[in-house]
Amino acid sequence: MSRSYFIHTFGCQMNESDSQRMGEALARAGWEPTAVPERADLVLVNTCSIREKAEDKLFSALGRYRLLKTQRGTKIGVAGCVAQQEKERLLRRAPFVDFVLGPDHLEKVPELALTGGVETEFLDTEHYLFPQADPESSRGKATAFVTAMKGCDNVCSFCVVPYTRGREVSRPYAEVVREVAGLVAVGVREVTLIGQNVNSYAGGSSFADLIRRVAAVPGLLRIRFTTSHPMDLSSDLVRCFGEVAQLMPHFHLPVQHGADSVLARMRRKYTIAEYEGRIAALPPEVALTSDVICGFPGETEDEHRQNLEFLRRTPYDNLFSFVYSPRPHTGAILKLEEWGEVPRPTAIRRLDEVQALQMARTLERHRERVGETVEVLVEDAGFGRSRENWTVHFAGDAGIGDLVRVRVESASLVALRGIQTGIADRAPRIDPPPKRRLAVVSA
Ligand code: SAM
Ligand code: SF4
């Protein structure tokens, strides 16, 4: 009798991609996916620990899945960053969990599902073997993530990633290109190269050259990448935006704060003037997005004002803003007393001010497009993304993978709406997906 699994994913694109790899490893070992946790023999929770709230979500999800264990003996596994960070402590806090595995052991999930236990050693050498994606699980999809590197060698003082994902290891470029070619063969039209610090890639070529090599895969229409560190932005990568036709004009380049004094405490290794110099070199059509943290330890009212001023003069298309969350092991938590904690109501008020400023800007930029025609890659019926990565809903009959022209009729904060006026490039005919599909939910 076949056994079934269900994966619940929290967090970033890296986690989504890891969940897909774990699903593939389980499928190879004979497990069947199910979309309903109540029917699963194994529930795997892939966790995120970037902020405390993400961790809280894990424990409330585990509380729900615990009932399944009592009722029908469902096995429960915890993977990802919380698993890496908490290790055996997680089993003490949630003793009903059967196994815990860190991000470097995705392939071991079928084995651990049988034996139980904890597998969280980092595999930080150049001999690390990246899990090979099975292109079949992307058949019928327009877009896919492709891992370019793992880990992070920076030590930003707010960030737990170096402690949950280990040192940087880049994947050899030939492997990345092979995976992209395999995805294109099953119909994928756009790939996003992912890594915590993807532009410091060093897998036998520079990151700019990796993009050029990927762009040479016949049939690939679009390339994106995330996430980048401003210090690793080379002039060659800037040139790619103008030279590589498949590279989409969207760049997520997190600044984290608009005051030099805060950037220094964050150990970001650049000043605002340096950041501004780098973005000024980008072609004007590139839509820039960013991350900002409010209420970082010691943030004064004046530093917050500098942050707002920076955001006012920087033409971000969109901004992801967060209240600072103290994380274990990080530099800032060790200095919390010295720098001083920002009271939570103050941090939330500052976040509200940052968000109000950016929401008005994003809405204005979206509204400027009304009446224009945008090119959209269809990801689902009536839904896709523009070249700049804006979400577009449209009326029209285009299928998944088609590249369509959409006349924008209206715009909101989160999306453009319009009417399909033509097809720029029809998706090649690809057979429908085989029966096997992945049961993965994201939160
Ligand atoms: N590697 C990227 C970089 O260098 O900008 C960041 C990746 S991190 C997974 C995503 C975002 O989470 C960060 O850009 C930061 O804004 C936010 N973040 C990370 N740690 C945080 C913390 N302790 N509190 C609040 N936000 C945090
Ligand atoms: Fe975290 Fe990004 Fe800094 Fe690495 S570069 S420590 S992932 S914020």
Side-chain angles (χ1 to χ4, degrees), residues 345-383:
T346 307
I348 290 173
R349 192 252 305 154
R350 291 176 184 170
L351 179 78
D352 287 345
E353 288 173 14
V354 162
Q355 291 188 335
L357 190 157
Q358 184 59 44
M359 282 192 311
R361 161 86 54 70
T362 302
L363 187 58
E364 184 190 315
R365 292 180 87 81
H366 281 179
R367 284 191 176 148
E368 279 166 10
R369 308 312 292 232
V370 173
E372 289 183 14
T373 295
V374 293
E375 195 182 80
V376 175
L377 178 65
V378 182
E379 293 181 24
D380 213 336
F383 164 82

mmCIF file of all heavy atoms in Angstrom, residues 345-383:
data_model
loop_
_atom_site.group_PDB
_atom_site.id
_atom_site.type_symbol
_atom_site.label_atom_id
_atom_site.label_comp_id
_atom_site.label_asym_id
_atom_site.label_seq_id
_atom_site.Cartn_x
_atom_site.Cartn_y
_atom_site.Cartn_z
ATOM 1 N N PRO A 345 5.672 49.884 20.350
ATOM 2 C CA PRO A 345 4.728 50.844 19.733
ATOM 3 C C PRO A 345 5.459 51.863 18.839
ATOM 4 O O PRO A 345 4.949 52.254 17.792
ATOM 5 C CB PRO A 345 4.082 51.546 20.944
ATOM 6 C CG PRO A 345 4.319 50.631 22.097
ATOM 7 C CD PRO A 345 5.579 49.878 21.818
ATOM 8 N N THR A 346 6.675 52.273 19.252
ATOM 9 C CA THR A 346 7.440 53.226 18.421
ATOM 10 C C THR A 346 7.846 52.559 17.108
ATOM 11 O O THR A 346 7.723 53.148 16.024
ATOM 12 C CB THR A 346 8.720 53.670 19.187
ATOM 13 O OG1 THR A 346 8.321 54.145 20.461
ATOM 14 C CG2 THR A 346 9.481 54.742 18.438
ATOM 15 N N ALA A 347 8.330 51.317 17.195
ATOM 16 C CA ALA A 347 8.757 50.593 15.982
ATOM 17 C C ALA A 347 7.572 50.429 15.027
ATOM 18 O O ALA A 347 7.709 50.613 13.806
ATOM 19 C CB ALA A 347 9.339 49.240 16.361
ATOM 20 N N ILE A 348 6.401 50.119 15.594
ATOM 21 C CA ILE A 348 5.220 49.907 14.733
ATOM 22 C C ILE A 348 4.785 51.234 14.095
ATOM 23 O O ILE A 348 4.449 51.286 12.907
ATOM 24 C CB ILE A 348 4.067 49.248 15.544
ATOM 25 C CG1 ILE A 348 4.479 47.799 15.846
ATOM 26 C CG2 ILE A 348 2.749 49.286 14.775
ATOM 27 C CD1 ILE A 348 3.557 47.050 16.761
ATOM 28 N N ARG A 349 4.849 52.313 14.874
ATOM 29 C CA ARG A 349 4.497 53.633 14.300
ATOM 30 C C ARG A 349 5.444 53.980 13.152
ATOM 31 O O ARG A 349 5.030 54.443 12.084
ATOM 32 C CB ARG A 349 4.568 54.688 15.423
ATOM 33 C CG ARG A 349 3.961 56.042 15.056
ATOM 34 C CD ARG A 349 5.022 57.126 14.853
ATOM 35 N NE ARG A 349 5.908 57.282 15.994
ATOM 36 C CZ ARG A 349 7.141 57.746 15.894
ATOM 37 N NH1 ARG A 349 7.648 58.063 14.701
ATOM 38 N NH2 ARG A 349 7.898 57.856 16.961
ATOM 39 N N ARG A 350 6.728 53.708 13.327
ATOM 40 C CA ARG A 350 7.700 53.999 12.255
ATOM 41 C C ARG A 350 7.430 53.125 11.025
ATOM 42 O O ARG A 350 7.513 53.597 9.887
ATOM 43 C CB ARG A 350 9.130 53.799 12.767
ATOM 44 C CG ARG A 350 9.499 54.854 13.788
ATOM 45 C CD ARG A 350 10.880 54.615 14.379
ATOM 46 N NE ARG A 350 11.165 55.590 15.431
ATOM 47 C CZ ARG A 350 12.196 55.527 16.255
ATOM 48 N NH1 ARG A 350 13.060 54.529 16.173
ATOM 49 N NH2 ARG A 350 12.382 56.454 17.176
ATOM 50 N N LEU A 351 7.118 51.861 11.278
ATOM 51 C CA LEU A 351 6.779 50.965 10.157
ATOM 52 C C LEU A 351 5.566 51.506 9.398
ATOM 53 O O LEU A 351 5.549 51.542 8.160
ATOM 54 C CB LEU A 351 6.479 49.553 10.685
ATOM 55 C CG LEU A 351 6.094 48.531 9.619
ATOM 56 C CD1 LEU A 351 7.330 48.035 8.868
ATOM 57 C CD2 LEU A 351 5.374 47.328 10.221
ATOM 58 N N ASP A 352 4.544 51.961 10.155
ATOM 59 C CA ASP A 352 3.335 52.510 9.515
ATOM 60 C C ASP A 352 3.697 53.697 8.632
ATOM 61 O O ASP A 352 3.171 53.847 7.529
ATOM 62 C CB ASP A 352 2.313 52.963 10.570
ATOM 63 C CG ASP A 352 1.648 51.778 11.257
ATOM 64 O OD1 ASP A 352 1.770 50.654 10.729
ATOM 65 O OD2 ASP A 352 1.026 51.981 12.324
ATOM 66 N N GLU A 353 4.611 54.549 9.113
ATOM 67 C CA GLU A 353 4.996 55.737 8.327
ATOM 68 C C GLU A 353 5.724 55.324 7.043
ATOM 69 O O GLU A 353 5.475 55.861 5.969
ATOM 70 C CB GLU A 353 5.870 56.672 9.175
ATOM 71 C CG GLU A 353 5.046 57.365 10.256
ATOM 72 C CD GLU A 353 5.903 58.187 11.243
ATOM 73 O OE1 GLU A 353 7.085 58.452 10.961
ATOM 74 O OE2 GLU A 353 5.360 58.540 12.298
ATOM 75 N N VAL A 354 6.618 54.341 7.175
ATOM 76 C CA VAL A 354 7.351 53.838 6.003
ATOM 77 C C VAL A 354 6.361 53.230 5.003
ATOM 78 O O VAL A 354 6.408 53.492 3.793
ATOM 79 C CB VAL A 354 8.405 52.789 6.444
ATOM 80 C CG1 VAL A 354 8.874 51.929 5.287
ATOM 81 C CG2 VAL A 354 9.589 53.488 7.105
ATOM 82 N N GLN A 355 5.425 52.444 5.521
ATOM 83 C CA GLN A 355 4.490 51.758 4.624
ATOM 84 C C GLN A 355 3.551 52.746 3.939
ATOM 85 O O GLN A 355 3.256 52.608 2.751
ATOM 86 C CB GLN A 355 3.722 50.679 5.387
ATOM 87 C CG GLN A 355 4.653 49.527 5.770
ATOM 88 C CD GLN A 355 3.964 48.328 6.366
ATOM 89 O OE1 GLN A 355 2.878 48.445 6.926
ATOM 90 N NE2 GLN A 355 4.602 47.168 6.280
ATOM 91 N N ALA A 356 3.096 53.761 4.686
ATOM 92 C CA ALA A 356 2.184 54.751 4.084
ATOM 93 C C ALA A 356 2.891 55.456 2.920
ATOM 94 O O ALA A 356 2.311 55.633 1.844
ATOM 95 C CB ALA A 356 1.734 55.759 5.137
ATOM 96 N N LEU A 357 4.156 55.802 3.149
ATOM 97 C CA LEU A 357 4.923 56.492 2.103
ATOM 98 C C LEU A 357 5.040 55.607 0.860
ATOM 99 O O LEU A 357 4.773 56.030 -0.265
ATOM 100 C CB LEU A 357 6.306 56.799 2.674
ATOM 101 C CG LEU A 357 7.262 57.709 1.929
ATOM 102 C CD1 LEU A 357 8.266 58.288 2.931
ATOM 103 C CD2 LEU A 357 8.021 57.018 0.832
ATOM 104 N N GLN A 358 5.419 54.341 1.071
ATOM 105 C CA GLN A 358 5.652 53.471 -0.083
ATOM 106 C C GLN A 358 4.342 53.072 -0.764
ATOM 107 O O GLN A 358 4.288 52.958 -1.992
ATOM 108 C CB GLN A 358 6.448 52.226 0.328
ATOM 109 C CG GLN A 358 6.809 51.338 -0.848
ATOM 110 C CD GLN A 358 7.641 52.048 -1.914
ATOM 111 O OE1 GLN A 358 8.581 52.764 -1.588
ATOM 112 N NE2 GLN A 358 7.300 51.882 -3.193
ATOM 113 N N MET A 359 3.269 52.896 0.027
ATOM 114 C CA MET A 359 2.007 52.479 -0.590
ATOM 115 C C MET A 359 1.522 53.542 -1.568
ATOM 116 O O MET A 359 1.065 53.232 -2.673
ATOM 117 C CB MET A 359 0.950 52.189 0.483
ATOM 118 C CG MET A 359 1.199 50.829 1.102
ATOM 119 S SD MET A 359 -0.073 50.135 2.126
ATOM 120 C CE MET A 359 -0.516 51.369 3.229
ATOM 121 N N ALA A 360 1.653 54.809 -1.175
ATOM 122 C CA ALA A 360 1.234 55.903 -2.065
ATOM 123 C C ALA A 360 2.070 55.867 -3.345
ATOM 124 O O ALA A 360 1.554 56.008 -4.452
ATOM 125 C CB ALA A 360 1.404 57.235 -1.341
ATOM 126 N N ARG A 361 3.390 55.626 -3.192
ATOM 127 C CA ARG A 361 4.294 55.588 -4.350
ATOM 128 C C ARG A 361 3.956 54.412 -5.271
ATOM 129 O O ARG A 361 3.870 54.568 -6.497
ATOM 130 C CB ARG A 361 5.725 55.466 -3.809
ATOM 131 C CG ARG A 361 6.774 54.975 -4.745
ATOM 132 C CD ARG A 361 7.407 56.047 -5.584
ATOM 133 N NE ARG A 361 7.948 57.171 -4.835
ATOM 134 C CZ ARG A 361 9.025 57.139 -4.038
ATOM 135 N NH1 ARG A 361 9.650 55.989 -3.847
ATOM 136 N NH2 ARG A 361 9.450 58.210 -3.443
ATOM 137 N N THR A 362 3.753 53.219 -4.668
ATOM 138 C CA THR A 362 3.464 52.022 -5.481
ATOM 139 C C THR A 362 2.160 52.212 -6.254
ATOM 140 O O THR A 362 2.078 51.917 -7.451
ATOM 141 C CB THR A 362 3.389 50.764 -4.580
ATOM 142 O OG1 THR A 362 4.639 50.634 -3.901
ATOM 143 C CG2 THR A 362 3.127 49.500 -5.362
ATOM 144 N N LEU A 363 1.151 52.741 -5.562
ATOM 145 C CA LEU A 363 -0.136 52.968 -6.220
ATOM 146 C C LEU A 363 0.032 53.941 -7.391
ATOM 147 O O LEU A 363 -0.487 53.707 -8.488
ATOM 148 C CB LEU A 363 -1.142 53.514 -5.191
ATOM 149 C CG LEU A 363 -2.582 53.642 -5.674
ATOM 150 C CD1 LEU A 363 -3.118 52.290 -6.148
ATOM 151 C CD2 LEU A 363 -3.475 54.185 -4.557
ATOM 152 N N GLU A 364 0.787 54.998 -7.150
ATOM 153 C CA GLU A 364 1.011 55.993 -8.201
ATOM 154 C C GLU A 364 1.707 55.348 -9.407
ATOM 155 O O GLU A 364 1.296 55.543 -10.562
ATOM 156 C CB GLU A 364 1.893 57.093 -7.606
ATOM 157 C CG GLU A 364 2.166 58.275 -8.503
ATOM 158 C CD GLU A 364 3.262 59.144 -7.856
ATOM 159 O OE1 GLU A 364 3.184 59.391 -6.630
ATOM 160 O OE2 GLU A 364 4.202 59.521 -8.578
ATOM 161 N N ARG A 365 2.715 54.518 -9.150
ATOM 162 C CA ARG A 365 3.448 53.889 -10.260
ATOM 163 C C ARG A 365 2.554 52.927 -11.030
ATOM 164 O O ARG A 365 2.629 52.842 -12.254
ATOM 165 C CB ARG A 365 4.691 53.152 -9.739
ATOM 166 C CG ARG A 365 5.726 54.102 -9.207
ATOM 167 C CD ARG A 365 6.923 53.355 -8.705
ATOM 168 N NE ARG A 365 7.881 53.093 -9.765
ATOM 169 C CZ ARG A 365 8.763 53.989 -10.202
ATOM 170 N NH1 ARG A 365 8.794 55.190 -9.678
ATOM 171 N NH2 ARG A 365 9.605 53.678 -11.159
ATOM 172 N N HIS A 366 1.704 52.190 -10.291
ATOM 173 C CA HIS A 366 0.778 51.282 -10.975
ATOM 174 C C HIS A 366 -0.204 52.084 -11.832
ATOM 175 O O HIS A 366 -0.492 51.729 -12.970
ATOM 176 C CB HIS A 366 0.022 50.426 -9.953
ATOM 177 C CG HIS A 366 0.843 49.282 -9.426
ATOM 178 N ND1 HIS A 366 0.378 48.410 -8.485
ATOM 179 C CD2 HIS A 366 2.097 48.866 -9.719
ATOM 180 C CE1 HIS A 366 1.312 47.506 -8.221
ATOM 181 N NE2 HIS A 366 2.363 47.770 -8.961
ATOM 182 N N ARG A 367 -0.723 53.192 -11.245
ATOM 183 C CA ARG A 367 -1.744 53.972 -11.980
ATOM 184 C C ARG A 367 -1.173 54.618 -13.238
ATOM 185 O O ARG A 367 -1.888 54.807 -14.209
ATOM 186 C CB ARG A 367 -2.347 55.038 -11.061
ATOM 187 C CG ARG A 367 -3.327 54.409 -10.081
ATOM 188 C CD ARG A 367 -4.123 55.456 -9.348
ATOM 189 N NE ARG A 367 -5.124 54.838 -8.493
ATOM 190 C CZ ARG A 367 -5.534 55.338 -7.346
ATOM 191 N NH1 ARG A 367 -5.022 56.468 -6.892
ATOM 192 N NH2 ARG A 367 -6.445 54.710 -6.641
ATOM 193 N N GLU A 368 0.122 54.922 -13.197
ATOM 194 C CA GLU A 368 0.761 55.524 -14.386
ATOM 195 C C GLU A 368 0.665 54.591 -15.602
ATOM 196 O O GLU A 368 0.797 55.033 -16.733
ATOM 197 C CB GLU A 368 2.249 55.787 -14.102
ATOM 198 C CG GLU A 368 2.500 57.074 -13.323
ATOM 199 C CD GLU A 368 3.928 57.123 -12.757
ATOM 200 O OE1 GLU A 368 4.776 56.275 -13.123
ATOM 201 O OE2 GLU A 368 4.158 58.005 -11.927
ATOM 202 N N ARG A 369 0.479 53.294 -15.329
ATOM 203 C CA ARG A 369 0.455 52.332 -16.442
ATOM 204 C C ARG A 369 -0.917 52.210 -17.093
ATOM 205 O O ARG A 369 -1.042 51.555 -18.139
ATOM 206 C CB ARG A 369 0.887 50.931 -15.958
ATOM 207 C CG ARG A 369 2.187 50.890 -15.222
ATOM 208 C CD ARG A 369 3.277 51.637 -15.923
ATOM 209 N NE ARG A 369 3.691 51.027 -17.160
ATOM 210 C CZ ARG A 369 4.950 50.735 -17.480
ATOM 211 N NH1 ARG A 369 5.913 51.011 -16.625
ATOM 212 N NH2 ARG A 369 5.241 50.181 -18.630
ATOM 213 N N VAL A 370 -1.956 52.770 -16.465
ATOM 214 C CA VAL A 370 -3.307 52.635 -17.028
ATOM 215 C C VAL A 370 -3.299 53.236 -18.437
ATOM 216 O O VAL A 370 -2.785 54.336 -18.650
ATOM 217 C CB VAL A 370 -4.364 53.306 -16.110
ATOM 218 C CG1 VAL A 370 -5.744 53.307 -16.780
ATOM 219 C CG2 VAL A 370 -4.428 52.582 -14.766
ATOM 220 N N GLY A 371 -3.852 52.478 -19.395
ATOM 221 C CA GLY A 371 -3.885 52.932 -20.795
ATOM 222 C C GLY A 371 -2.710 52.377 -21.595
ATOM 223 O O GLY A 371 -2.750 52.359 -22.822
ATOM 224 N N GLU A 372 -1.649 51.906 -20.890
ATOM 225 C CA GLU A 372 -0.496 51.354 -21.610
ATOM 226 C C GLU A 372 -0.688 49.855 -21.861
ATOM 227 O O GLU A 372 -1.548 49.217 -21.261
ATOM 228 C CB GLU A 372 0.776 51.540 -20.778
ATOM 229 C CG GLU A 372 1.217 52.983 -20.704
ATOM 230 C CD GLU A 372 2.527 53.132 -19.924
ATOM 231 O OE1 GLU A 372 3.209 52.119 -19.688
ATOM 232 O OE2 GLU A 372 2.836 54.274 -19.561
ATOM 233 N N THR A 373 0.171 49.308 -22.712
ATOM 234 C CA THR A 373 0.135 47.863 -22.961
ATOM 235 C C THR A 373 1.368 47.246 -22.309
ATOM 236 O O THR A 373 2.483 47.754 -22.484
ATOM 237 C CB THR A 373 0.122 47.578 -24.475
ATOM 238 O OG1 THR A 373 -1.110 48.105 -24.989
ATOM 239 C CG2 THR A 373 0.191 46.090 -24.765
ATOM 240 N N VAL A 374 1.155 46.178 -21.519
ATOM 241 C CA VAL A 374 2.285 45.509 -20.868
ATOM 242 C C VAL A 374 2.373 44.068 -21.372
ATOM 243 O O VAL A 374 1.368 43.487 -21.805
ATOM 244 C CB VAL A 374 2.171 45.522 -19.315
ATOM 245 C CG1 VAL A 374 2.306 46.919 -18.769
ATOM 246 C CG2 VAL A 374 0.881 44.878 -18.839
ATOM 247 N N GLU A 375 3.587 43.525 -21.313
ATOM 248 C CA GLU A 375 3.809 42.145 -21.761
ATOM 249 C C GLU A 375 3.731 41.232 -20.539
ATOM 250 O O GLU A 375 4.422 41.486 -19.550
ATOM 251 C CB GLU A 375 5.202 42.081 -22.378
ATOM 252 C CG GLU A 375 5.449 40.849 -23.194
ATOM 253 C CD GLU A 375 6.887 40.854 -23.721
ATOM 254 O OE1 GLU A 375 7.791 40.503 -22.942
ATOM 255 O OE2 GLU A 375 7.075 41.221 -24.873
ATOM 256 N N VAL A 376 2.890 40.206 -20.630
ATOM 257 C CA VAL A 376 2.628 39.364 -19.453
ATOM 258 C C VAL A 376 2.907 37.898 -19.778
ATOM 259 O O VAL A 376 2.452 37.394 -20.812
ATOM 260 C CB VAL A 376 1.135 39.528 -19.029
ATOM 261 C CG1 VAL A 376 0.771 38.593 -17.884
ATOM 262 C CG2 VAL A 376 0.853 40.970 -18.636
ATOM 263 N N LEU A 377 3.646 37.229 -18.896
ATOM 264 C CA LEU A 377 3.813 35.781 -19.023
ATOM 265 C C LEU A 377 2.703 35.133 -18.190
ATOM 266 O O LEU A 377 2.606 35.375 -16.975
ATOM 267 C CB LEU A 377 5.189 35.335 -18.511
ATOM 268 C CG LEU A 377 5.422 33.827 -18.566
ATOM 269 C CD1 LEU A 377 5.436 33.306 -20.010
ATOM 270 C CD2 LEU A 377 6.732 33.449 -17.875
ATOM 271 N N VAL A 378 1.874 34.314 -18.849
ATOM 272 C CA VAL A 378 0.696 33.755 -18.175
ATOM 273 C C VAL A 378 1.116 32.601 -17.256
ATOM 274 O O VAL A 378 1.713 31.625 -17.704
ATOM 275 C CB VAL A 378 -0.341 33.265 -19.216
ATOM 276 C CG1 VAL A 378 -1.592 32.726 -18.522
ATOM 277 C CG2 VAL A 378 -0.698 34.394 -20.179
ATOM 278 N N GLU A 379 0.780 32.750 -15.961
ATOM 279 C CA GLU A 379 1.135 31.699 -14.995
ATOM 280 C C GLU A 379 -0.074 30.821 -14.674
ATOM 281 O O GLU A 379 0.059 29.698 -14.214
ATOM 282 C CB GLU A 379 1.698 32.328 -13.712
ATOM 283 C CG GLU A 379 3.025 33.012 -13.960
ATOM 284 C CD GLU A 379 3.642 33.624 -12.723
ATOM 285 O OE1 GLU A 379 3.330 33.182 -11.595
ATOM 286 O OE2 GLU A 379 4.446 34.562 -12.877
ATOM 287 N N ASP A 380 -1.259 31.399 -14.832
ATOM 288 C CA ASP A 380 -2.505 30.674 -14.604
ATOM 289 C C ASP A 380 -3.577 31.397 -15.417
ATOM 290 O O ASP A 380 -3.313 32.504 -15.897
ATOM 291 C CB ASP A 380 -2.853 30.686 -13.105
ATOM 292 C CG ASP A 380 -3.555 29.410 -12.695
ATOM 293 O OD1 ASP A 380 -4.164 28.766 -13.583
ATOM 294 O OD2 ASP A 380 -3.504 29.051 -11.507
ATOM 295 N N ALA A 381 -4.783 30.792 -15.531
ATOM 296 C CA ALA A 381 -5.799 31.429 -16.371
ATOM 297 C C ALA A 381 -6.049 32.866 -15.896
ATOM 298 O O ALA A 381 -6.364 33.099 -14.728
ATOM 299 C CB ALA A 381 -7.090 30.620 -16.300
ATOM 300 N N GLY A 382 -5.881 33.831 -16.795
ATOM 301 C CA GLY A 382 -6.176 35.232 -16.479
ATOM 302 C C GLY A 382 -5.216 35.882 -15.499
ATOM 303 O O GLY A 382 -5.521 36.932 -14.925
ATOM 304 N N PHE A 383 -4.045 35.271 -15.326
ATOM 305 C CA PHE A 383 -3.112 35.807 -14.331
ATOM 306 C C PHE A 383 -1.667 35.613 -14.791
ATOM 307 O O PHE A 383 -1.310 34.583 -15.343
ATOM 308 C CB PHE A 383 -3.314 35.093 -12.986
ATOM 309 C CG PHE A 383 -2.180 35.283 -12.032
ATOM 310 C CD1 PHE A 383 -2.094 36.425 -11.263
ATOM 311 C CD2 PHE A 383 -1.169 34.321 -11.919
ATOM 312 C CE1 PHE A 383 -1.025 36.615 -10.396
ATOM 313 C CE2 PHE A 383 -0.105 34.501 -11.061
ATOM 314 C CZ PHE A 383 -0.034 35.656 -10.290
#
